[in-house]
Amino acid sequence: MPTLSLPFLGHGGDYNPDQWLSRPDILEEDVRLMQKAGCNLMSVGIFSWAALEPEEGVYTFDWLEGVLNRLHAAGISVFLATPSGARPSWMSQKYPEVLRVRPDGGRNLHGGRHNHCFTSPVYREKVAKINEALARRFGHHPSVVGWHISNELSGECHCEMCQQAFRSFLKDRYGDLDALNAAWWTGFWSKTFTDWNQIHSPTPQGEDALLGLTLAWRRFVTHQTVDFVKAEMEPLRRLTPDLPVTTNLMCCFGGFDYQTLAHQIDFTSYDSYPGWGVGPDEKNAAEAAFNYDYMRCLKNRPFALMESTPSQVNWHDICKLKKPGMHLLSSLQAVAHGADTVQYFQWRQSRGGAEKFHGAVVSHEGSENTRTFHDVAEVGETLKKLQDVRGRMPAPKVAILYDQENRWALDRSEGPRRDKKYLETVIRHYAALKRRGVDVDVIDETCDLSSYALVDAPLLYMLRPGAAERLTRFVEQGGVLTATCMTGRVDEEDLCFLGGFPGPLRPLFGIWAEETDALTDSECNGARMEDGSVYDTHYYCDLIHAETARVLGTYASDFYAGAPCVTENEYGRGLAVYVASLPGDELLDHLFSRLLSRAGVKPLVPDLPRGVWAASRGEYLFLMNFSGREQCLSVPDGTELLSGRAVRGTVSLPATGAAVIRLTSC
Ligand code: GLA
Ligand code: ZN
């Protein structure tokens, strides 16, 4: 399989010259400015279908050839896009089946983008044809270094063709209706199916309370999206087997399972839009870093930062400008966590349309004399100093489990709280691990655990096939596992485990969770630890019995005050820790600091000040200051690459500053 392997750290952005075909002067100027900004990589043609095929079967590719030639002559490489993220109007008019159908059965009108049925044979055929034509004409163009297919795949269609595809998917999965009825517990509320055609996708107008169906639908949406991607890629794979393929993914997206998609593409790419300056940047940094580590782990390879904004977005509630220094810092953060490119949406601000006020490298003013342009050029200069980072990866001994199927099951289950806090909790735990100065992998329940010393698995409600065995073996062989309330409630079909929670993990944790209380958002309970200190806990309280586990902390209040809240169970050569509520930050800090040392995991940098992040790629150590004030840290010896200076023992980071140290020994 080909993969992303550029001879440089990529720098550039979405380039949409089709918006400017009537302005050849601007297209010329673009190339001059790209060189000036240190750009070497553009994503071209993402939403260009109307300009590439203005009438059915009439391909007008000459303008694109001109653009690719110009970029190539300037030494700029290209991710060539397939245009399937939005269709031309003629297609929806002539073939209404390409348009999406809503859960209520109504068909959408033409408009927006991403508004297509993933099943429609017409849509698939039109996509395959234009992709084939693009691959034939440009697949071997010397500027093209990869395919960018579609754009931010998302959504679902409920048309009759999709219903049929869903039923075939179910037949493959369950074989017969008896098995399906058993898996979905359809005896409850008389929901037993006696004919496949009785099954319809979940909809508020019909069946919305059968969780087995809901879960199966989400799995089907994953399957159908991935199937569409395979169809998109077929001509590309056939005609350009050596060109790597990606599609750009989104922050915390829950519509389908990225892990399943990742098996099909050659490298992951990610669109990152944190709300810097809105709320604490330490929190924004945590969410961004979590997503970067998730992207890195999807293929266990460096990824592309396919989009970010060089200044502000135009779709947050409040669209703040990036403060001085933040563009460089936030771009370095992506590189620190595994990005081999820094790219933007978009190169030049559109004159009209929905995104005309979205930040871009070149503004409506049109020159290089803007703060944003200088910030971008600074990133271009900086990336040149970091070339050797390319391709390097960290080797984390710590992983956090974030599982998409678990998220669907937990979020949709009724009780004990409406807002389950899954993603928020995972990111909070991730941030607490990062505060301890370690590299962290973000993996799901299907991943191999053997390279880790500590695995944290918050709110692991659903245990997918093999997960309980993998977790148990991990601990038996010496690993430290941490889990929380609501662990081990259901199997992959959302059927509760019989015989006491946490189901098959009961012996591993040595506890039985008999009941679970829910707290309001403003309530908290607490864990009173052996030394008398009390730490806040939130949202859920499992009432547990310690069976073989040792009690480390007890509930501080309510009628279950004094009952076990934090336990640990020696199991095989390892340790399984259960926190029966959701720990606040102080308890997380307390537990992780003790457990990381028990697991033998050394921090990259000791005693990281709050708001300073550390991440490594091979012998390169990145330190990033999101704390808002100057910080001085003890660090190992090496050479700081941004300044070119030797580092001996300490480094000082200005507010919104960063250091990249090539360590002398690591
Ligand atoms: C997404 C899309 C882009 C653009 C940006 C704006 O990431 O992929 O086309 O709309 O958002 O932030
Ligand atoms: Zn459909």
Side-chain angles (χ1 to χ4, degrees):
M1 254 191 170
T3 190
L4 176 67
S5 93
L6 301 169
F8 44 71
L9 283 176
H11 186 220
D14 285 11
Y15 183 37
N16 300 306
D18 44 314
Q19 296 176 23
W20 300 97
L21 293 180
S22 63
R23 292 291 305 267
D25 56 319
I26 284 189
L27 298 180
E28 269 319 307
E29 176 69 349
D30 278 337
V31 173
R32 182 186 76 81
L33 291 171
M34 285 173 194
Q35 289 178 314
K36 187 132 207 191
C39 287
N40 53 23
L41 180 63
M42 291 288 149
S43 306
V44 183
I46 296 172
F47 289 110
S48 299
W49 204 333
L52 293 170
E53 191 182 358
E55 284 174 50
E56 185 170 14
V58 178
Y59 297 126
T60 46
F61 288 180
D62 289 352
W63 66 267
L64 181 54
E65 173 135 28
V67 169
L68 297 187
N69 289 343
R70 251 195 318 277
L71 292 175
H72 180 59
I76 297 167
S77 298
V78 168
F79 285 149
L80 184 58
T82 65
S84 66
R87 307 144 317 287
S89 318
W90 59 256
M91 196 189 300
S92 310
Q93 186 179 29
K94 181 158 180 201
Y95 305 103
E97 74 160 63
V98 303
L99 290 168
R100 257 177 211 176
V101 168
R102 298 183 299 274
D104 68 1
R107 195 176 287 281
N108 284 352
L109 301 176
H110 180 78
R113 49 181 175 169
H114 311 297
N115 179 11
H116 48 263
C117 168
F118 286 131
T119 307
S120 157
V122 171
Y123 197 59
R124 286 180 177 217
E125 183 202 317
K126 297 289 166 209
V127 169
K129 278 195 169 151
I130 195 160
N131 287 6
E132 169 139 9
L134 285 168
R136 284 193 187 283
R137 177 98 177 244
F138 302 118
H140 299 283
H141 192 281
S143 66
V144 176
V145 294
W147 288 108
H148 172 306
I149 57 168
S150 196
N151 191 73
E152 295 190 339
L153 292 155
S154 65
E156 58 198 50
C157 174
H158 297 252
C159 76
E160 201 36 53
M161 288 181 298
C162 287
Q163 302 296 342
Q164 287 303 345
F166 181 40
R167 289 170 200 139
S168 320
F169 171 83
L170 295 175
K171 283 180 196 160
D172 283 349
R173 185 176 169 91
Y174 296 104
D176 58 42
L177 281 173
D178 287 346
L180 177 145
N181 282 314
W184 295 0
W185 207 253
T186 51
F188 184 73
W189 287 358
S190 225
K191 291 180 186 292
T192 308
F193 295 105
T194 55
D195 184 312
W196 290 100
N197 288 329
Q198 294 160 359
I199 301 176
H200 190 280
S201 55
T203 159
Q205 287 73 33
E207 185 54 79
D208 202 19
L210 187 56
L211 293 184
L213 170 75
T214 309
L215 208 48
W217 175 252
R218 294 260 61 86
R219 289 177 175 138
F220 167 73
V221 170
T222 300
H223 168 88
Q224 206 62 356
T225 309
V226 170
D227 196 57
F228 175 82
V229 166
K230 285 191 209 161
E232 263 242 53
M233 289 194 321
E234 190 283 323
L236 314 181
R237 291 287 193 218
R238 180 162 38 84
L239 296 166
T240 57
D242 297 332
L243 269 190
V245 178
T246 192
T247 184
N248 48 340
L249 307 179
M250 291 178 279
C251 166
C252 304
F253 177 69
F256 67 88
D257 181 23
Y258 278 168
Q259 187 72 60
T260 309
L261 174 71
H263 296 306
Q264 299 304 325
I265 54 179
D266 299 319
F267 66 98
T268 47
S269 58
Y270 177 60
D271 299 346
S272 182
Y273 293 103
W276 300 116
V278 179
D281 277 340
E282 189 191 332
K283 193 157 173 272
N284 296 326
E287 188 174 312
F290 170 80
N291 278 285
Y292 294 143
D293 280 339
Y294 179 37
M295 289 300 133
R296 174 177 56 75
C297 292
L298 282 174
K299 300 235 26 125
N300 198 19
R301 294 269 316 147
F303 61 92
L305 174 63
M306 190 61 84
E307 294 180 25
S308 60
T309 180
S311 61
Q312 67 190 149
V313 298
N314 70 339
W315 50 268
H316 289 166
D317 287 348
I318 302 293
C319 304
K320 287 209 174 273
L321 296 174
K322 279 183 176 172
K323 295 208 184 336
M326 187 49 98
H327 182 55
L328 180 59
L329 178 62
S330 58
S331 301
L332 285 175
Q333 189 194 23
V335 177
H337 287 268
D340 270 2
T341 76
V342 174
Q343 298 160 262
Y344 312 114
F345 178 84
Q346 61 177 329
W347 166 254
R348 179 182 283 275
Q349 262 182 325
S350 309
R351 193 157 177 213
E355 299 186 310
K356 62 184 179 299
F357 292 128
H358 195 288
V361 180
V362 182
S363 73
H364 295 130
E365 191 266 350
S367 80
E368 62 267 57
N369 304 317
T370 62
R371 189 177 76 99
T372 299
F373 193 93
H374 290 142
D375 281 356
V376 167
E378 185 186 20
V379 169
E381 278 309 300
T382 306
L383 292 179
K384 286 183 196 147
K385 300 177 187 166
L386 302 180
Q387 291 303 321
D388 293 342
V389 167
R390 193 167 25 96
R392 310 284 167 132
M393 289 284 282
K397 303 305 288 173
V398 177
I400 188 159
L401 285 196
Y402 163 63
D403 191 280
Q404 189 60 65
E405 296 205 354
N406 182 53
R407 178 176 170 189
W408 295 330
L410 178 62
D411 282 351
R412 286 304 309 267
S413 81
E414 301 289 336
R417 295 172 47 90
R418 182 81 57 224
D419 178 1
K420 303 301 191 303
K421 304 277 181 193
Y422 181 55
L423 193 56
E424 175 187 315
T425 300
V426 172
I427 294 176
R428 230 165 31 72
H429 281 226
Y430 166 86
L433 288 165
K434 291 298 298 178
R435 281 200 292 280
R436 310 265 55 86
V438 295
D439 286 321
V440 180
D441 275 353
V442 178
I443 58 172
D444 79 3
E445 289 185 36
T446 64
C447 294
D448 175 35
L449 304 176
S450 54
S451 62
Y452 303 115
L454 184 144
V455 171
D456 182 45
L459 291 170
L460 199 66
Y461 166 82
M462 167 187 276
L463 296 175
R464 296 172 62 184
E469 293 75 10
R470 266 191 293 282
L471 290 167
T472 304
R473 201 170 333 116
F474 167 71
V475 178
E476 256 167 13
Q477 292 174 352
V480 174
L481 172 67
T482 50
T484 69
C485 51
M486 297 293 288
T487 295
R489 299 298 146 102
V490 300
D491 69 8
E492 59 165 341
E493 294 297 347
D494 201 48
L495 292 174
C496 288
F497 291 115
L498 302 180
F501 301 138
L505 297 179
R506 185 170 174 176
L508 176 61
F509 289 105
I511 59 121
W512 165 39
E514 184 183 341
E515 296 181 275
T516 301
D517 197 11
L519 307 182
T520 66
D521 281 3
S522 58
E523 279 177 322
C524 67
N525 203 308
R528 186 182 306 282
M529 307 303 280
E530 286 168 312
D531 64 1
S533 48
V534 179
Y535 297 95
D536 285 353
T537 72
H538 305 275
Y539 305 130
Y540 307 82
C541 298
D542 279 358
L543 275 51
I544 62 172
H545 303 268
E547 296 179 319
T548 56
R550 196 167 80 78
V551 178
L552 301 178
T554 53
Y555 280 113
S557 61
D558 218 315
F559 71 91
Y560 38 89
C565 176
V566 184
T567 63
E568 65 178 22
N569 197 39
E570 300 280 349
Y571 193 93
R573 291 190 284 127
L575 187 72
V577 176
Y578 197 89
V579 184
S581 185
L582 282 187
D585 284 355
E586 288 72 23
L587 183 52
L588 286 173
D589 288 343
H590 171 80
L591 288 174
F592 285 148
S593 113
R594 196 172 71 82
L595 294 172
L596 284 166
S597 72
R598 147 99 200 211
V601 183
K602 300 233 167 11
L604 297 165
V605 173
D607 306 320
L608 267 187
R610 186 118 191 183
V612 178
W613 287 68
S616 79
R617 292 184 70 174
E619 70 266 43
Y620 296 88
L621 171 65
F622 288 72
L623 297 165
M624 296 152 279
N625 185 2
F626 292 96
S627 72
R629 56 198 173 83
E630 188 178 353
Q631 301 282 359
C632 190
L633 329 183
S634 308
V635 291
D637 292 348
T639 308
E640 201 286 304
L641 299 180
L642 307 184
S643 63
R645 293 208 196 97
V647 171
R648 297 273 169 273
T650 58
V651 77
S652 144
L653 298 177
T656 325
V660 185
I661 304 174
R662 188 176 52 229
L663 301 176
T664 310
S665 64
C666 72

